Amino acid sequence: LRGYEEFIHHSVTLREGPEAACARMGFRVRTPEDVDRAARYFDELGCRTQRVAAGTTPGFGEAVRAIDPLGFTIELVHEIEHVEPLVQRYDLRRGASINRLDHINIATPDVPVAFDYYSKLGFGLSETIEDFDEKKLYAAWMFRKQTVHDVAFTLGSGPMIHHIAFAVPESHNIFSLCDTIGALDLQASVIERGPGRHGVSNAFYLYILFHDAPTTEIYTTDYFTGDPGHQPIRWDVHDERRRDFWGNAVVPSWYLAASGLLDLDGHPTPVHDQPVTERTVTVGADGLG
Amino acid sequence: LRGYEEFIHHSVTLREGPEAACARMGFRVRTPEDVDRAARYFDELGCRTQRVAAGTTPGFGEAVRAIDPLGFTIELVHEIEHVEPLVQRYDLRRGASINRLDHINIATPDVPVAFDYYSKLGFGLSETIEDFDEKKLYAAWMFRKQTVHDVAFTLGSGPMIHHIAFAVPESHNIFSLCDTIGALDLQASVIERGPGRHGVSNAFYLYILFHDAPTTEIYTTDYFTGDPGHQPIRWDVHDERRRDFWGNAVVPSWYLAASGLLDLDGHPTPVHDQPVTERTVTVGADGLG
Amino acid sequence: LRGYEEFIHHSVTLREGPEAACARMGFRVRTPEDVDRAARYFDELGCRTQRVAAGTTPGFGEAVRAIDPLGFTIELVHEIEHVEPLVQRYDLRRGASINRLDHINIATPDVPVAFDYYSKLGFGLSETIEDFDEKKLYAAWMFRKQTVHDVAFTLGSGPMIHHIAFAVPESHNIFSLCDTIGALDLQASVIERGPGRHGVSNAFYLYILFHDAPTTEIYTTDYFTGDPGHQPIRWDVHDERRRDFWGNAVVPSWYLAASGLLDLDGHPTPVHDQPVTERTVTVGADGLG
Amino acid sequence: LRGYEEFIHHSVTLREGPEAACARMGFRVRTPEDVDRAARYFDELGCRTQRVAAGTTPGFGEAVRAIDPLGFTIELVHEIEHVEPLVQRYDLRRGASINRLDHINIATPDVPVAFDYYSKLGFGLSETIEDFDEKKLYAAWMFRKQTVHDVAFTLGSGPMIHHIAFAVPESHNIFSLCDTIGALDLQASVIERGPGRHGVSNAFYLYILFHDAPTTEIYTTDYFTGDPGHQPIRWDVHDERRRDFWGNAVVPSWYLAASGLLDLDGHPTPVHDQPVTERTVTVGADGLG
C-alpha cells in the first residue's frame, strides 16, 4: 500500500499472520553505502542484526534489519523500486485521500532513553510533554523530515506501536471519511477518537481501528520544522489541550491499545511493563498525542 | 444581536437579570393582521395573553405574548425594523461567521403533546426519535422554514430551553471557532460537545456554553425540506448515530442542562419533572439532537 | 437523475434526440387539485395546454403542460413517485456530491415582462441587476423555495435556458470536482467558468459543459430568503462584482451559450432575438449570474 | 513581517523607497561558520560581496551579501533573533492566516544557467516546464526544504522577481481572503489571478497585488519532496494544465509584471532582456507557474 504522493513501491505492507503484530518499522537511508554503515553501527552497539537480500521485501533492495537498543525491530534500506506518483490523479483518489505515511507513535517504558537514542541518530525534537515540577519526560515528538515528527515516543508498556499515521491534504478529507464510516454504520467499531485538533503537533486528527491493524491516525496541517534552530514546544502534562486542543476527552481504550512487535525470527518481542502504580497515574495523564 | 444574513433589528436579545432564564421565544407572523389573529387564537385556547405596544421590544412593532398550551412563553410579531443585511460584508465577519438564528430546542415532559400542538400550527415534521417496539416518541424536529427545523422537542423536564442554534456557512467556520476557543484556553468551559455530525438533521454541530446563556449550537449543512410531501426520517432510539453520526459519546452535562423560562410577569415558569425513574433510562438514551 | 437529498423519482431526465434542446421545465404544485387549477389558469390566459396521463413521464402522476405567456414550455405535476433519500449515504456519494436541483436560469428578450408574470405567480424577488440611470432591468432572481432563486431571468435572445444549477453541500465539493476534471484532462472542454463566488446570490459556483446538455452550474452557500418582508438586493449593472465577487472576467462563450426549447409537439420553440446593437452593449454587460 | 509559524524575527521587510524594487533575497545557512564559507565561495566565483555587521538588518546577526552569478542580490545569514511562534494563536490569526514565506519565483533570461547554478548549491529539482521537441527548458522549480520549491526560475527578462509566495493552512483560507477583498471592493486592483489549482506544484493559489510590492502568491497543499531519489515531474510546455489545472486562462498582466532588484549599493540592477521575438512566443506560452 502507498499514498497518492508516494513514488516508492509501498510504504505499508499488510500480511496475514497468527497474531496481530508489527513485524518491523523501516527507514530509508540516503545512499546504498548507508545500508552497510547502518549494519556496522548496530553491530558496534551489540544489537542483533540481519542482512536481507534484495527482493526479500517486494520492491526493496538489499537491507539490514536490527533489534535496536530500545528493543524495536527496524529495517534500513536505500533502494526501493519507483512507481508513478498519483498526486494529481484526483480521478483515482478515494476515501480520505491518503497522501503518505507520516509518522509512527511508539510506546516505550523509558521515554528519556528513547529520546537520547534518536537524538544521536540525528532526529530533531519538535515537542515534548513533561512534568516540569517532577522533571519527568512523558512524551517526545522527533523528526527527520521537516514536519512535526517521523516518530513519537510516549510512556507505556513497550516497545509497542501505539499508532501509525497517514497524511491527507485538508481537514475536510478527514470529515468526509467520518461521514463515510457513519454511512456504513461502522462508527462504533472503526472510529476510536476524534476528529479533533491536537495541541501537540497542531494537526487535525482522527484515530480509526480496523481488524487487527495497529490504531491508524489520519492527520493533516501540522507545521514546518526545517528551519535551523527550530525550538521544541514543551507542554505541561497538566495542560489538557496537549491531546485535544478543543478539550474533548480521550477515550480510555486509546491509552491501552498498542500493538506488539515481532523480532527478527518472527516471534513476539517481549514487552517491558510500565509499572502499574505509575501507569495508573501517568498513562491516564500521559502524553500520547 | 443578529446574524450577517438577517435584515431585521435583532434575532436575539441578552439582558442582565437576577437569574439565568429565557424570557420568551418569538415568531414572526406573515401579516399585521396575524398578530390579532394570534391573540384570538390563544384567547380561545384559554391561554393567558398579553398585548404589548410597538417599541416594547426595541425594533419590534405591536406584538402579542402568550403562555402557550405547553406552558412556554412566546411572542408573535409582524413588524420589525429593517436593517441592512451583511451577507457579503466578509470584511466585518468575525468568529464563526453566524448567518442567522436557525432553531430552538425545547425540553418537554410530553413530546407527543408538543408534536400535536405544533402540527396544528402548521409545522412540518422532518425527523423523529422513537422506540418502535414501545411506540414511544422521544423527540421530534419540526419546521416552518424549509430546513430541518425551527423547533425541536425532546423528552425532559420542562418546559425548558435545551439549546438555541445558529447557522454558519460551512463546516470550516465551526472548526475555526473551536481553534479560537482553544487558543484562548477556554475549551474546558466553553466547548460542551462536538464538533461532529448529527445523525438527526445531518448537520455539522458544536455546542458551546458561555456565562448564563442557554447552551448554544453552531450548525451547518442540514437539508431542504420544502418539497410537497416531504417524508420524515424516523430514527430508532437505539441507533447511536442519531446523536452523533461518527459515534462520539454525548457528555452527561448535555443531557441535564436546560434553561428555565420566565412567564408574562417575568417570574420563573414552573417546570414539570420528567419522572426520574424514566429519565434514568430515557434521558440517557433520549433524542436530544 | 436526482440529487442525494431528493426523495422524488427524478429531478432531471436526459433523453437522446435529433438536436440539443430542453423539452420543458417542471414545477410541482402543492395539491392534486392544483393541476386542474393550473390547466384552467393557462386556458384563461389563452395559452396552449396539454393534459398528460400519469406515467407519461416515468414516475410522475397526471400533469398539465403549457406554453406559458413567455413562450416557455412548462409542466405542472403534483404526484411524483417517492424514493428513499440518500442524504446520509456518504458511502454512495460521488463526484461533486449533488444534493438537489437548485434553479434554472432563463434567457429572455424582455426581463420586465418575465418578472411581472412570475411575480403574479407568487414568486418573490431576491436580487436584480439594473441600470439605475436608464431605469432598465437586466436580470431578476426569483424564488418560491426560501433560497435566492428557483428561476432567474436574464436579458438575451429567448426564451432559452441559459443554465441549470445543482446544489452541493460545501465549497470544497466544487473544488474537488474541478480537480477530478483536471485529472481527466477534460478541463478545456468541461469547465466553462469558475470556480468563484457570485456577487448576485453570494453562491460559490462553477459552470460546466458536457455533451449537448445545457450549461450546468454547481452551486452552494447562497442565503435564506424566507423571512416575511425579505428585501431584494439591487445591483448596479456597472458593478463588476455582481457576476464574480472576486473580479474574475466572464468568458465570452458564457454570454452566448443558451439552449433552445421544444414546444408541446416536440418542435423547436421560436427564439425572439434580443436586438444585436443592444446586445453588443448589454449582453457583454448584462446580468447573467 | 512574519508568518504565524515562523519563530524568527521576520521573513519579509517592507521599506519605503524612491522606486519599487527588491533589495535582496535572503537564505539562512545552517551554522555561523557557513557565513564565512559563503563569503569565500562568492569571492572565488569572482562575485562582488559585502560583509554586514550584526544588526544591520534588524534582528539579524553578521551576514554576507553578494551579487550571485545570475546577477541576483542575495544575503546569507545564520543568526536571527528568535521570537515566539504563533502557530496555535488562532485568536490572533487574521486575513489569510499566513503561516510562512514559502518561495520566491525569479524571472531570468537563461533558465538552464540558473538551474545549473542552484543545482550546484545543493537544491533539488521538483518540476520543470520544457519543450521536449526543441529540448528547451522554460522553467524549473527547485527546493532545499522538503516542499516543491524555495525558488523557481522562469523564462523572462531578468534577473527580476516574478512573485513571492506565502503558505497558508488550507484552501478555505484562500477563498476567505478573496471574499474579504471583494467585500472591500478591492478585487479589481488586488486580485490578479486565481484562485485555482496549479498543475505545477499541485498547490491552491491566489495572486494578489498591493501598492508597489512584488506580486504576492497565497499558496497551500503542494507535496512532500524529501524522500531520497525524489523524481522531478516534467511538464510539456504545451500542456495547458501546468499553469492552471482547471484550465482557467492566465491574465496577460501576470506575464509582464516582475519587480526589479537593487544592487549592493542600492542602485537598480540591470535587466537583461529576453529577446522580444522569442518572448512573444514563449512568454505567452512559458512556464511561470
Side-chain angles (χ1 to χ4, degrees):
Chain A
L1 299 174
R2 65 177 186 275
Y4 295 105
E5 265 182 31
E6 292 171 324
F7 63 93
I8 54 171
H9 184 271
H10 67 269
S11 55
V12 174
T13 301
L14 298 178
R15 285 185 303 152
E16 205 174 337
E19 63 188 299
C22 171
R24 60 194 160 272
M25 165 172 75
F27 291 103
R28 282 192 78 191
V29 291
R30 293 237 154 228
T31 66
E33 296 71 36
D34 285 338
V35 176
D36 296 328
R37 218 175 131 212
R40 285 196 306 275
Y41 175 81
F42 287 111
D43 283 342
E44 283 163 19
L45 285 176
C47 295
R48 192 180 156 203
T49 63
Q50 190 181 64
R51 298 298 294 245
V52 294
T56 308
T57 300
F60 279 26
E62 212 188 348
V64 60
R65 296 174 183 170
I67 306 298
D68 77 8
L70 308 176
F72 211 96
T73 311
I74 63 167
E75 179 172 55
L76 295 115
V77 64
H78 172 72
E79 275 177 35
I80 300 185
E81 198 179 307
H82 286 191
V83 294
E84 197 192 347
L86 302 172
V87 178
Q88 293 187 320
R89 290 301 304 273
Y90 291 102
D91 52 325
L92 300 182
R93 286 180 179 250
R94 292 286 178 275
S97 209
I98 299 289
N99 270 338
R100 54 183 168 75
L101 175 58
D102 188 83
H103 66 264
I104 293 176
N105 188 303
I106 294 170
T108 174
D110 195 331
V111 174
V113 162
F115 164 69
D116 284 343
Y117 169 63
Y118 269 81
S119 293
K120 284 175 192 147
L121 288 174
F123 281 66
L125 178 68
S126 60
E127 307 207 19
T128 64
I129 294 178
E130 304 177 52
D131 188 316
F132 297 122
D133 294 331
E134 297 186 9
K135 298 189 189 308
K136 179 162 182 171
L137 178 66
Y138 282 97
W141 282 256
M142 304 190 72
F143 63 91
R144 281 293 298 172
K145 71 175 171 352
Q146 297 163 341
T147 65
V148 171
H149 56 327
D150 295 280
V151 290
F153 300 100
T154 50
L155 186 63
S157 298
M160 298 184 86
I161 285 196
H162 186 273
H163 65 263
I164 176 168
F166 298 92
V168 298
E170 300 207 329
S171 54
H172 61 80
N173 297 109
I174 292 181
F175 308 120
S176 294
L177 175 63
C178 294
D179 287 338
T180 301
I181 293 169
L184 295 169
D185 205 2
L186 293 174
Q187 72 291 338
S189 58
V190 171
I191 296 182
E192 187 185 31
R193 181 186 157 199
R197 186 186 289 283
H198 283 311
V200 173
S201 84
N202 192 46
F204 271 83
Y205 70 87
L206 174 74
Y207 292 95
I208 56 177
L209 304 172
F210 43 94
H211 305 296
D212 295 326
T215 302
T216 299
E217 184 181 14
I218 313 296
Y219 183 98
T220 194
T221 68
D222 60 359
Y223 57 88
F224 178 71
T225 58
D227 206 10
H230 186 79
Q231 293 296 307
I233 295 170
R234 298 171 63 187
W235 290 80
D236 189 317
V237 71
H238 303 105
D239 185 339
E240 288 299 318
R241 294 185 297 172
R242 70 195 190 284
R243 297 178 295 201
D244 186 284
F245 199 63
W246 304 339
N248 283 315
V250 177
V251 293
S253 69
W254 192 84
Y255 286 114
L256 302 175
S259 297
L261 298 164
L262 301 184
D263 66 17
L264 296 180
D265 304 312
H267 301 140
T269 296
V271 168
H272 298 274
D273 280 354
Q274 163 68 10
V276 176
T277 50
E278 188 168 6
R279 188 202 293 157
T280 312
V281 177
T282 63
V283 174
D286 81 351
L288 288 165
Chain B
L1 300 173
R2 65 177 187 274
Y4 295 105
E5 264 183 32
E6 292 172 324
F7 62 93
I8 55 172
H9 184 270
H10 68 270
S11 55
V12 174
T13 300
L14 299 177
R15 283 184 305 153
E16 205 175 338
E19 62 188 300
C22 171
R24 61 195 161 271
M25 167 172 73
F27 291 104
R28 282 194 75 192
V29 292
R30 294 237 153 228
T31 66
E33 297 70 36
D34 285 336
V35 176
D36 296 327
R37 219 174 130 214
R40 285 197 305 274
Y41 175 80
F42 287 111
D43 283 342
E44 283 163 20
L45 286 177
C47 296
R48 191 179 156 204
T49 62
Q50 190 180 64
R51 298 297 295 244
V52 294
T56 308
T57 301
F60 280 26
E62 211 187 351
V64 60
R65 295 174 184 172
I67 306 297
D68 78 9
L70 308 176
F72 211 97
T73 311
I74 63 168
E75 179 172 56
L76 296 114
V77 65
H78 172 73
E79 275 178 35
I80 300 184
E81 196 179 309
H82 286 192
V83 293
E84 196 193 347
L86 302 171
V87 178
Q88 293 187 319
R89 292 300 304 273
Y90 291 101
D91 53 326
L92 300 181
R93 286 179 179 250
R94 292 286 177 275
S97 208
I98 299 291
N99 269 338
R100 54 182 169 75
L101 175 58
D102 188 84
H103 66 264
I104 293 176
N105 187 303
I106 294 170
T108 175
D110 194 331
V111 173
V113 163
F115 166 69
D116 285 343
Y117 170 62
Y118 269 82
S119 293
K120 283 174 193 148
L121 287 174
F123 280 67
L125 177 68
S126 60
E127 307 208 20
T128 64
I129 294 178
E130 303 178 52
D131 188 317
F132 297 123
D133 294 331
E134 296 187 8
K135 296 190 189 308
K136 177 161 182 171
L137 178 65
Y138 281 96
W141 282 256
M142 304 190 72
F143 62 91
R144 281 294 297 172
K145 73 174 169 354
Q146 297 163 342
T147 64
V148 170
H149 56 325
D150 296 281
V151 289
F153 300 101
T154 50
L155 185 62
S157 298
M160 299 182 86
I161 286 196
H162 186 273
H163 65 263
I164 176 168
F166 298 92
V168 298
E170 300 208 330
S171 53
H172 62 80
N173 298 108
I174 292 181
F175 309 119
S176 294
L177 175 62
C178 293
D179 287 338
T180 301
I181 293 169
L184 295 168
D185 205 3
L186 292 173
Q187 72 290 340
S189 60
V190 171
I191 295 182
E192 187 185 31
R193 180 186 157 199
R197 185 185 290 284
H198 283 311
V200 173
S201 83
N202 193 46
F204 271 84
Y205 71 87
L206 175 74
Y207 292 94
I208 56 177
L209 303 171
F210 43 93
H211 305 296
D212 296 326
T215 302
T216 299
E217 184 181 13
I218 313 297
Y219 182 97
T220 194
T221 68
D222 59 359
Y223 56 88
F224 178 72
T225 58
D227 205 12
H230 186 80
Q231 294 295 308
I233 295 170
R234 299 171 62 189
W235 290 81
D236 188 317
V237 71
H238 304 103
D239 185 339
E240 287 300 317
R241 295 185 296 173
R242 70 197 190 283
R243 298 178 295 199
D244 186 283
F245 200 63
W246 304 338
N248 283 315
V250 177
V251 292
S253 69
W254 192 84
Y255 285 114
L256 302 175
S259 298
L261 297 163
L262 300 183
D263 67 17
L264 296 180
D265 303 313
H267 300 139
T269 296
V271 169
H272 298 275
D273 279 353
Q274 163 68 9
V276 176
T277 49
E278 187 168 8
R279 190 202 292 159
T280 312
V281 177
T282 62
V283 174
D286 81 351
L288 286 166
Chain C
L1 300 174
R2 65 177 187 274
Y4 295 105
E5 264 183 32
E6 292 171 326
F7 62 92
I8 55 172
H9 184 271
H10 67 270
S11 55
V12 174
T13 300
L14 299 177
R15 284 184 304 152
E16 207 174 336
E19 62 188 300
C22 171
R24 61 196 159 271
M25 166 173 74
F27 291 103
R28 282 192 76 191
V29 291
R30 294 238 153 227
T31 66
E33 296 70 36
D34 284 337
V35 176
D36 297 327
R37 217 173 132 215
R40 285 195 306 274
Y41 175 81
F42 287 110
D43 283 341
E44 282 163 20
L45 286 176
C47 295
R48 191 180 156 204
T49 62
Q50 189 181 63
R51 297 298 293 246
V52 294
T56 308
T57 300
F60 280 26
E62 210 186 353
V64 60
R65 295 174 183 171
I67 306 297
D68 77 8
L70 308 176
F72 210 96
T73 311
I74 63 167
E75 178 172 56
L76 295 115
V77 64
H78 172 72
E79 275 177 34
I80 300 185
E81 197 178 308
H82 286 191
V83 293
E84 195 193 347
L86 301 172
V87 179
Q88 293 188 320
R89 290 300 304 272
Y90 291 101
D91 52 325
L92 300 182
R93 286 179 178 250
R94 292 286 177 274
S97 208
I98 300 290
N99 270 338
R100 55 183 169 75
L101 175 59
D102 188 84
H103 66 263
I104 293 176
N105 187 302
I106 294 170
T108 175
D110 195 331
V111 174
V113 163
F115 165 69
D116 285 343
Y117 169 62
Y118 269 81
S119 294
K120 284 174 192 147
L121 287 174
F123 281 66
L125 177 68
S126 59
E127 307 207 20
T128 64
I129 294 178
E130 303 177 53
D131 188 316
F132 297 123
D133 294 331
E134 297 187 10
K135 296 189 189 309
K136 177 162 182 170
L137 178 65
Y138 282 96
W141 282 256
M142 304 190 72
F143 63 91
R144 282 292 297 172
K145 72 176 171 350
Q146 297 163 341
T147 65
V148 170
H149 56 326
D150 296 281
V151 289
F153 301 100
T154 50
L155 187 62
S157 299
M160 297 183 85
I161 285 196
H162 186 273
H163 65 262
I164 176 168
F166 298 91
V168 298
E170 300 207 330
S171 53
H172 62 81
N173 298 109
I174 292 180
F175 309 120
S176 294
L177 175 62
C178 294
D179 287 338
T180 301
I181 293 169
L184 295 168
D185 205 3
L186 293 173
Q187 71 290 340
S189 59
V190 171
I191 295 182
E192 186 185 32
R193 180 186 158 201
R197 185 185 291 283
H198 283 312
V200 173
S201 84
N202 192 46
F204 271 85
Y205 70 88
L206 174 75
Y207 292 94
I208 57 176
L209 304 171
F210 44 93
H211 305 297
D212 295 326
T215 302
T216 299
E217 183 180 15
I218 313 296
Y219 181 97
T220 194
T221 67
D222 61 358
Y223 56 87
F224 178 73
T225 58
D227 205 12
H230 186 80
Q231 293 297 307
I233 296 170
R234 299 171 61 188
W235 290 81
D236 188 317
V237 72
H238 304 104
D239 185 340
E240 288 299 318
R241 294 185 296 173
R242 70 197 189 283
R243 297 178 295 201
D244 186 283
F245 200 64
W246 304 338
N248 283 314
V250 177
V251 293
S253 69
W254 192 85
Y255 285 114
L256 302 174
S259 298
L261 296 164
L262 300 184
D263 66 17
L264 295 180
D265 304 312
H267 300 139
T269 297
V271 169
H272 298 273
D273 280 353
Q274 163 69 8
V276 176
T277 50
E278 186 167 8
R279 190 201 293 157
T280 313
V281 177
T282 62
V283 173
D286 79 352
L288 287 165
Chain D
L1 300 173
R2 66 176 186 275
Y4 295 105
E5 264 182 30
E6 291 171 324
F7 62 92
I8 55 172
H9 185 270
H10 68 269
S11 55
V12 174
T13 300
L14 299 177
R15 285 185 302 153
E16 206 174 336
E19 63 189 299
C22 171
R24 60 193 161 271
M25 166 172 74
F27 291 103
R28 281 193 77 192
V29 292
R30 293 238 154 226
T31 66
E33 296 71 36
D34 284 338
V35 175
D36 296 327
R37 217 173 132 215
R40 285 196 305 274
Y41 175 81
F42 287 110
D43 282 342
E44 284 163 19
L45 286 176
C47 295
R48 192 181 156 202
T49 62
Q50 190 182 64
R51 298 297 295 245
V52 294
T56 308
T57 300
F60 280 27
E62 211 188 350
V64 60
R65 296 175 183 170
I67 306 298
D68 77 8
L70 308 176
F72 211 96
T73 311
I74 63 168
E75 179 173 55
L76 295 115
V77 65
H78 172 72
E79 275 177 34
I80 300 184
E81 197 179 308
H82 287 192
V83 294
E84 197 193 346
L86 301 171
V87 178
Q88 294 188 318
R89 290 300 304 274
Y90 291 101
D91 53 325
L92 300 181
R93 286 179 178 250
R94 292 287 178 275
S97 209
I98 299 289
N99 270 338
R100 54 183 169 75
L101 175 58
D102 187 83
H103 65 263
I104 293 175
N105 187 303
I106 294 170
T108 175
D110 195 330
V111 174
V113 162
F115 165 69
D116 284 342
Y117 170 64
Y118 269 81
S119 294
K120 284 175 193 147
L121 287 174
F123 281 66
L125 177 69
S126 60
E127 307 207 19
T128 64
I129 294 178
E130 304 177 54
D131 189 316
F132 297 123
D133 294 331
E134 297 186 9
K135 296 189 190 308
K136 178 162 182 171
L137 178 66
Y138 282 96
W141 282 256
M142 303 190 72
F143 63 91
R144 281 294 298 172
K145 72 174 170 353
Q146 297 164 341
T147 65
V148 170
H149 56 326
D150 296 280
V151 290
F153 301 100
T154 50
L155 186 62
S157 298
M160 298 183 85
I161 285 196
H162 186 274
H163 65 264
I164 175 169
F166 297 92
V168 298
E170 300 208 327
S171 54
H172 62 80
N173 298 107
I174 292 181
F175 309 120
S176 294
L177 175 63
C178 294
D179 288 337
T180 301
I181 293 169
L184 295 168
D185 205 2
L186 293 173
Q187 72 290 339
S189 59
V190 171
I191 295 182
E192 187 186 31
R193 180 185 158 200
R197 185 186 290 284
H198 283 311
V200 173
S201 83
N202 192 47
F204 271 83
Y205 70 88
L206 175 73
Y207 292 94
I208 57 176
L209 303 171
F210 44 92
H211 306 296
D212 296 325
T215 302
T216 298
E217 183 180 14
I218 313 297
Y219 182 98
T220 194
T221 67
D222 60 359
Y223 56 87
F224 178 73
T225 59
D227 205 12
H230 186 81
Q231 294 295 307
I233 296 170
R234 300 171 61 188
W235 290 81
D236 188 317
V237 71
H238 304 104
D239 184 339
E240 288 299 318
R241 294 185 297 173
R242 70 196 191 283
R243 296 178 296 201
D244 186 284
F245 199 64
W246 304 338
N248 283 315
V250 177
V251 293
S253 70
W254 193 83
Y255 286 114
L256 302 174
S259 298
L261 297 164
L262 301 183
D263 67 17
L264 296 180
D265 303 314
H267 301 140
T269 297
V271 168
H272 298 274
D273 281 352
Q274 163 68 10
V276 176
T277 50
E278 187 168 7
R279 189 201 294 157
T280 313
V281 177
T282 62
V283 173
D286 80 351
L288 286 165

